[in-house]
C-alpha cells in the first residue's frame, strides 16, 4: 500500500474520544448524563429561516450558483458588515463557504506557504493548528493564563514573531474560554501585526453571543491599515442556531478573496444553494430570535459562573461572550483528561478536557443546555471536587 500524506495522517485524534465513548455507554445503560460538551446552540433554527429554505426548494432553487456564493446572499452579508461591523466590503470580497470551518481552512490554504508560521493564542479552538499544518504551515502557540483572562498581550505577540511568521489568529469572543478583548486591546494587537506586516485572521463566529461587559468590535473596522491586513471570518451556525446548515463566510481584501474563490471553485464548486436563501432570511428577519437566544444564554452564563465559582479549588474568569466557561482545575492534581474521565465515571457529568484546546490545567463546559442541566450538573461537579 502506498504511503499516505503524512501531514493528514498525523492529524491529532480527538482528545475527547474516550469521554464521548464512555458517555454513550452510560446512556445506553439508562444512566442520566449531565452533558456540557456541546459546541452548538440548543435552540431550533428560527422559523423564518426554515420557511425561506422551504420556499427556495419549492421554487426549485437547487442548482449550482457562483463559486463564491449566491449573489443575493453576498450582498446581504455586505450590508450586515457595513451596518453592524462598520466594515465596507463589496460582494466580490465575500466568499460564502460550506461552514465556518471550510471558510477558515480555505483562508489558511490561501495565505500560508510551506514553512510559514501562524501565531495562535492558547487556549485555542482545536481545529486551528490542524488546518495550519494541512496548509503546510507551523502553528506557534502563545500561552495565556487564567490570571490574565486567557488574553494575549501585544508584548507576547511581538515576542512570538519570527521572519517566518505570516499571520496571527484572533478569536473574540473565544472558544473555549468565552473571554473577549476590549476594543483597545484588539487595536493594540492589530498594531503589532500591521507593524510586522502580518495577516490578521479575525474569527468572529461568536460575535452576537456577548453579555455587556465588553463591546464587540471587528478588527477591520479600526482603519485602512487594519482593513488591508485583516481577513474576517464568520458564519451562521452559532448566531442563528444553524449548525447543520453548514454556511460560513470570509471577507477579505480583493486579491485574497479572489484566490479563495478560485480555490473553492475546485474544492466544493459552490455552497448549498437552498440553504443560502435561508441565510438571507437569517440576516434580514431573525434578529428578534437571536435576541431571545442571547437573553437565555446571559441567564445561563450568570448561573453557571455563580455555581462554579463557589466550588473550592476552582479558579474561573467570568466569560464575556460565546457559551463556554473554562475553569482551572489544576489544584486537584489531575490532568484535564483524568479529571474529565473520572468526573464522567463517578458523577456522570460530561465535560471537555482542556488539553484538546492546548491547556491541560482546565476543562471546558458549554452552557448551551437547559438551566436544569446546569443546576444538577454543577451540583454533581461540586460533589466530585469535594472527594479530591
Amino acid at each position: 500500500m502506498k504511503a499516505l500524506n503524512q501531514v493528514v495522517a498525523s492529524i491529532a485524534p480527538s482528545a475527547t474520544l474516550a469521554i464521548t465513548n464512555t458517555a454513550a455507554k452510560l446512556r445506553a445503560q439508562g444512566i442520566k448524563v449531565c452533558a456540557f460538551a456541546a459546541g452548538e446552540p440548543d435552540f431550533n433554527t428560527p422559523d423564518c429561516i426554515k420557511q425561506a429554505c422551504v420556499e427556495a426548494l419549492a421554487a426549485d432553487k437547487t442548482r449550482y450558483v457562483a463559486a463564491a456564493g449566491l449573489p443575493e446572499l453576498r450582498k446581504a452579508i455586505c450590508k450586515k458588515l457595513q451596518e453592524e461591523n462598520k466594515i465596507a466590503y463589496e460582494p466580490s470580497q465575500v466568499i460564502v463557504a460550506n461552514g465556518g470551518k471550510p471558510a477558515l481552512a480555505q483562508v489558511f490554504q490561501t495565505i500560508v506557504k510551506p514553512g510559514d508560521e501562524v501565531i495562535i493564542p492558547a487556549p485555542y479552538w482545536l481545529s486551528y493548528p490542524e488546518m495550519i499544518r494541512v496548509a503546510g504551515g507551523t502553528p506557534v502557540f502563545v500561552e495565556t493564563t487564567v490570571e490574565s483572562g486567557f488574553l494575549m498581550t501585544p508584548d507576547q505577540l511581538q515576542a512570538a514573531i519570527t521572519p517566518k511568521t505570516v499571520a496571527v489568529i484572533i478569536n473574540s469572543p473565544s472558544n473555549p474560554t468565552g473571554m473577549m478583548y476590549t476594543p483597545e486591546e484588539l487595536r493594540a494587537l492589530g498594531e503589532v501585526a500591521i507593524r510586522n506586516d502580518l495577516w490578521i485572521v479575525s474569527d468572529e463566529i461568536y460575535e452576537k453571543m456577548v453579555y455587556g461587559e465588553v463591546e464587540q468590535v471587528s478588527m477591520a473596522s479600526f482603519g485602512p491599515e487594519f482593513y488591508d491586513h485583516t481577513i474576517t471570518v464568520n458564519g451562521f451556525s452559532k448566531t442563528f442556531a444553524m449548525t447543520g446548515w453548514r454556511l460560513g463566510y470570509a471577507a477579505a481584501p480583493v486579491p485574497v478573496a479572489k484566490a479563495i474563490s478560485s480555490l473553492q471553485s475546485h474544492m466544493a464548486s459552490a455552497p448549498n444553494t437552498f440553504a443560502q436563501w435561508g441565510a438571507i432570511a437569517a440576516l434580514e428577519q431573525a434578529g428578534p430570535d437571536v435576541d431571545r437566544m442571547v437573553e437565555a444564554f446571559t441567564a445561563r452564563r450568570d448561573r453557571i459562573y455563580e455555581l462554579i465559582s463557589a466550588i473550592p479549588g476552582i479558579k474561573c474568569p467570568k466569560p464575556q461572550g460565546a457559551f463556554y466557561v473554562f475553569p482551572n482545575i489544576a489544584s486537584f492534581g489531575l490532568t484535564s483528561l483524568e479529571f474529565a474521565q473520572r468526573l464522567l465515571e463517578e458523577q456522570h457529568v460530561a465535560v471537555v478536557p482542556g488539553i484538546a484546546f492546548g491547556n491541560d490545567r482546565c476543562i471546558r463546559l458549554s452552557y448551551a443546555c437547559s438551566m436544569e442541566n446546569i443546576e444538577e450538573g454543577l451540583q454533581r461537579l461540586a460533589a466530585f471536587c469535594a472527594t479530591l
Side-chain angles (χ1 to χ4, degrees):
M1 181 181 292
K2 296 291 186 181
L4 300 176
N5 179 323
Q6 286 306 297
V7 176
V8 176
S10 63
I11 288 176
S14 170
T16 64
L17 186 60
I19 303 295
T20 302
N21 289 342
T22 303
K25 290 178 182 178
L26 290 171
R27 290 193 181 97
Q29 297 168 18
I31 296 172
K32 180 181 179 181
V33 176
C34 291
F36 294 94
E40 62 178 342
D42 57 325
F43 298 96
N44 294 324
T45 303
D47 289 340
C48 62
I49 301 172
K50 293 185 285 189
Q51 183 58 38
C53 184
V54 168
E55 292 174 1
L57 285 167
D60 291 320
K61 295 179 178 179
T62 58
R63 298 185 180 277
Y64 290 139
V65 296
L70 192 69
E72 292 87 343
L73 176 56
R74 291 155 70 195
K75 289 178 183 177
I77 291 170
C78 286
K79 181 180 179 183
K80 179 262 184 216
L81 290 170
Q82 175 70 68
E83 294 179 353
E84 297 182 5
N85 303 86
K86 313 306 178 188
I87 321 173
Y89 288 110
E90 295 296 325
S92 61
Q93 295 176 266
V94 173
I95 304 90
V96 181
N98 290 288
K101 278 188 177 182
L104 280 164
Q106 290 173 167
V107 166
F108 294 128
Q109 289 166 352
T110 299
I111 66 173
V112 176
K113 303 179 298 298
D116 285 347
E117 295 177 350
V118 178
I119 294 172
I120 310 174
Y124 47 78
W125 180 55
L126 54 85
S127 292
Y128 292 142
E130 306 305 342
M131 289 178 178
I132 291 162
R133 291 187 182 106
V134 169
T138 301
V140 174
F141 304 111
V142 173
E143 299 294 332
T144 65
T145 65
V146 65
E147 290 79 13
S148 69
F150 299 115
L151 299 177
M152 177 176 64
T153 68
D155 287 344
Q156 285 182 302
L157 174 56
Q158 182 62 61
I161 295 171
T162 75
K164 295 182 179 180
T165 308
V166 297
V168 58
I169 300 173
I170 302 295
N171 176 212
S172 180
S174 162
N175 176 6
T177 69
M179 303 306 287
M180 297 175 63
Y181 293 97
T182 66
E184 294 75 20
E185 290 166 340
L186 268 185
R187 180 184 288 272
L189 291 171
E191 288 171 348
V192 174
I194 291 167
R195 188 163 62 243
N196 291 274
D197 196 25
L198 305 183
W199 288 112
I200 305 163
V201 180
S202 183
D203 182 352
E204 302 179 13
I205 193 73
Y206 292 99
E207 65 166 352
K208 293 295 186 183
M209 279 67 187
V210 297
Y211 307 115
E213 288 88 352
V214 177
E215 178 189 2
Q216 197 284 329
V217 295
S218 293
M219 180 72 78
S221 69
F222 288 130
E225 285 190 298
F226 293 86
Y227 181 95
D228 290 341
H229 283 81
T230 300
I231 301 168
T232 303
V233 182
N234 207 325
F236 298 86
S237 295
K238 314 300 183 181
T239 298
F240 301 105
M242 294 173 66
T243 50
W245 292 63
R246 310 313 306 132
L247 285 175
Y249 59 89
V254 172
V256 179
K258 183 178 179 180
I260 297 173
S261 178
S262 296
L263 174 62
Q264 178 159 282
S265 72
H266 293 287
M267 298 290 289
S269 293
N272 180 307
T273 300
F274 46 87
Q276 291 182 77
W277 289 101
I280 294 172
L283 293 174
E284 295 179 349
Q285 302 175 38
D289 299 279
V290 175
D291 291 342
R292 285 190 287 272
M293 284 190 277
V294 173
E295 183 179 1
F297 280 132
T298 303
R300 296 173 186 178
R301 186 281 305 256
D302 291 345
R303 185 56 177 155
I304 197 170
Y305 175 72
E306 178 185 12
L307 292 171
I308 209 162
S309 298
I311 300 174
I314 285 183
K315 292 190 294 184
C316 183
K318 188 174 185 178
Q320 301 145 333
F323 37 74
Y324 310 106
V325 288
F326 200 64
N328 183 299
I329 46 86
S331 68
F332 299 109
L334 301 174
T335 68
S336 63
L337 190 57
E338 290 169 341
F339 187 99
Q341 189 72 51
R342 285 187 55 183
L343 175 62
L344 181 56
E345 292 172 350
E346 297 176 26
Q347 287 290 337
H348 307 146
V349 175
V351 301
V352 184
I355 189 63
F357 310 102
N359 186 317
D360 204 21
R361 301 175 299 279
C362 298
I363 56 173
R364 191 193 78 173
L365 290 81
S366 165
Y367 48 91
C369 58
S370 70
M371 193 69 83
E372 177 188 1
N373 189 75
I374 291 171
E375 296 283 352
E376 183 173 353
L378 268 292
Q379 184 179 27
R380 295 185 189 186
L381 174 61
F384 172 71
C385 291
T387 68
L388 302 177

